[in-house]
């Protein structure tokens, strides 16, 4: 286990900061993580409702799952961790990049702008056959299939979410940002899901000087050994005031 520190993270004038967040950063906003309740939703293993197979087999159940997630996200507020990252973005400008595995919109509501949702976004939908029609902003709650809108091509719309077995979004941009960051901060993720769990390894093993890598969360993630420093604690308590500009 790398050194856990109470220190501040000093950011120099030439540093480029890549931040990866997971469900843990939204925990203090009242949103359940994937590991909470044993990773179950309404008795279904999350991995079973968040797959293309589930969509083929029971699209009504999938829309009930994401409609509940939409209601939960609407009922929650960004926390101090979301706001601390938005403030860091303002201080660093284009030397800051935020990649989240979360599909909720709490980072944006916390003030973040330069952000990539590698696993999609809760309040967006698209054509299930990717016929080319644009991705839609969609706050709808669909409890039964006949409520689910149709695309102009006639196919059903699906959540604009990356399910298990599907390719994450914006990987080329993410890989470029990992290549050029000097510091990688990972906040509130168990390191159980790939390729996100590999980012810290990519930042350590890339050509040239390895990036400094920090983990912030209440417990060590599965990929803990790839971090140069672990800062144990809740994100909402540890992120505010953690950064010091040199
Ligand atoms: C892909 C959207 C090819 C859906 C999500 C076998 C071995 C290795 C990999 C695989 C394998 N079999 C299959 C795979 C690949 C698979 C995978 O990784 N499966 C796992 C289960 C083994 N991955 C895929 O299918 C991915 N696609 O690989 O395509 C490819 C590869 C490379 C390049 C191109 C293509 C697609 C995966 C995306 C699936 N969709 N989300 C939805 O949200 O409904 S993943 C979903 O689960 C989340 O987005 C997130 O990524 C993951 C949950 O993890 P966490 O966010 O870490 O949450 P978790 O609950 O686990 O942990 C919470 C953490 O918070 C804990 O550590 C806790 O300590 C901490 N915490 C708690 N409170 C706080 C806190 N931290 C801070 N503050 C607090 N207060
Ligand atoms: Zn269509």
């Amino acid at each position: 286990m790398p050194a856990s520190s109470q220190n501040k993270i000093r950011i120099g004038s030439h540093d480029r900061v890549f931040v990866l967040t997971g469900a843990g950063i939204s925990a203090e906003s009242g949103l359940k993580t994937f590991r909470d309740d044993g990773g179950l939703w309404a008795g279904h293993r999350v991995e079973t409702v968040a797959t293309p197979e589930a969509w083929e087999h029971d699209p009504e159940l999938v829309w009930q799952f994401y409609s509940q997630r939409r209601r939960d996200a609407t009922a929650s507020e960004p926390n101090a961790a979301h706001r601390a990252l938005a403030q860091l973005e303002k201080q660093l400008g284009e030397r800051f990049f935020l990649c989240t595995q979360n599909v909720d919109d709490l980072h944006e509501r916390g003030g973040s702008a330069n952000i990539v949702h590698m696993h999609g976004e809760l309040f967006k939908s698209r054509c299930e056959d990717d016929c080319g029609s644009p991705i839609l902003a969609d706050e709808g709650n669909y409890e039964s299939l006949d409520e689910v809108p149709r695309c102009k091509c006639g196919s059903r719309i699906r959540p604009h979410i990356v399910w298990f077995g599907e390719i994450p979004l914006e990987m080329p941009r993410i890989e470029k940002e990992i290549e050029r960051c000097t510091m990688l901060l990972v906040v509130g993720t168990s390191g159980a899901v790939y390729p996100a769990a590999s980012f810290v390894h990519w930042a350590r093993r890339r050509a040239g000087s390895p990036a400094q890598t920090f983990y912030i969360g209440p417990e060590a993630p599965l990929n803990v050994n790839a971090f140069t420093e672990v800062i144990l604690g809740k994100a909402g308590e540890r992120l505010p005031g953690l950064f010091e500009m040199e």
Side-chain angles (χ1 to χ4, degrees):
M1 171 99 147
S4 70
S5 83
Q6 302 311 315
N7 309 345
K8 289 190 178 289
I9 294 180
R10 271 187 294 288
I11 300 177
S13 56
H14 302 297
D15 279 316
R16 300 192 67 84
V17 177
F18 182 115
V19 178
L20 172 70
T21 64
I25 200 168
S26 296
E28 291 155 86
S29 297
L31 291 185
K32 284 206 291 287
T33 70
F34 282 68
R35 300 287 163 268
D36 284 342
D37 308 347
L40 287 178
W41 175 81
H44 303 276
R45 288 213 55 70
V46 169
E47 286 87 358
T48 60
V49 276
T51 62
E53 295 73 26
W55 177 253
E56 284 318 308
H57 174 67
D58 190 344
E60 183 166 277
L61 178 73
V62 172
W63 262 123
Q64 287 167 349
F65 174 58
Y66 285 104
S67 297
Q68 181 59 55
R69 303 265 301 276
R70 285 180 174 179
R71 288 191 291 274
D72 297 345
T74 304
S76 61
E77 292 299 325
N79 64 60
H82 296 108
R83 291 190 290 275
L85 291 179
Q87 193 207 352
L88 182 61
E89 178 183 345
K90 288 191 180 54
Q91 289 169 300
L92 294 178
E94 62 83 30
R95 294 191 291 128
F96 177 90
F97 180 74
L98 176 58
C99 175
T100 186
Q101 299 167 77
N102 301 343
V103 296
D104 65 57
D105 61 348
L106 295 181
H107 277 300
E108 286 87 347
R109 289 160 55 194
S112 286
N114 184 10
I115 177 170
V116 161
H117 287 265
M118 70 179 292
H119 292 161
E121 297 178 64
L122 208 42
F123 296 103
K124 290 185 178 174
S125 299
R126 70 173 195 262
C127 172
E128 67 178 333
D129 295 335
D130 296 323
C131 70
S133 60
I135 292 166
L136 311 162
D138 178 16
E139 305 199 354
N141 283 193
Y142 313 118
E143 294 312 315
S144 66
L145 268 189
D146 50 23
E147 295 169 59
V148 176
R150 293 268 171 182
C151 173
K152 66 182 184 325
C153 75
S155 300
R156 203 176 271 121
I157 65 159
R158 59 163 278 177
H160 179 54
I161 300 269
V162 177
W163 289 325
F164 289 91
E166 295 186 320
I167 308 260
L169 304 173
E170 307 230 28
M171 285 305 294
R173 181 169 172 213
I174 290 169
E175 285 161 19
K176 184 165 71 50
E177 292 292 343
I178 290 173
E179 274 310 306
R180 65 182 189 149
C181 75
T182 60
M183 306 173 90
L184 176 88
L185 276 66
V186 177
V187 183
T189 180
S190 58
V193 171
Y194 292 78
S198 309
F199 293 179
V200 62
H201 300 296
W202 297 353
R204 299 288 304 159
R205 292 206 203 114
R206 67 188 186 190
S209 62
Q212 292 179 72
T213 54
F214 302 85
Y215 180 77
I216 296 119
E219 61 195 333
L222 296 173
N223 50 6
V224 66
N225 293 327
F227 289 95
T228 47
E229 210 163 319
V230 172
I231 298 168
L232 289 179
K234 293 182 172 183
E237 293 163 7
R238 295 312 315 271
L239 284 183
L242 179 62
F243 308 107
E244 198 169 72
M245 301 300 152
E246 266 179 1

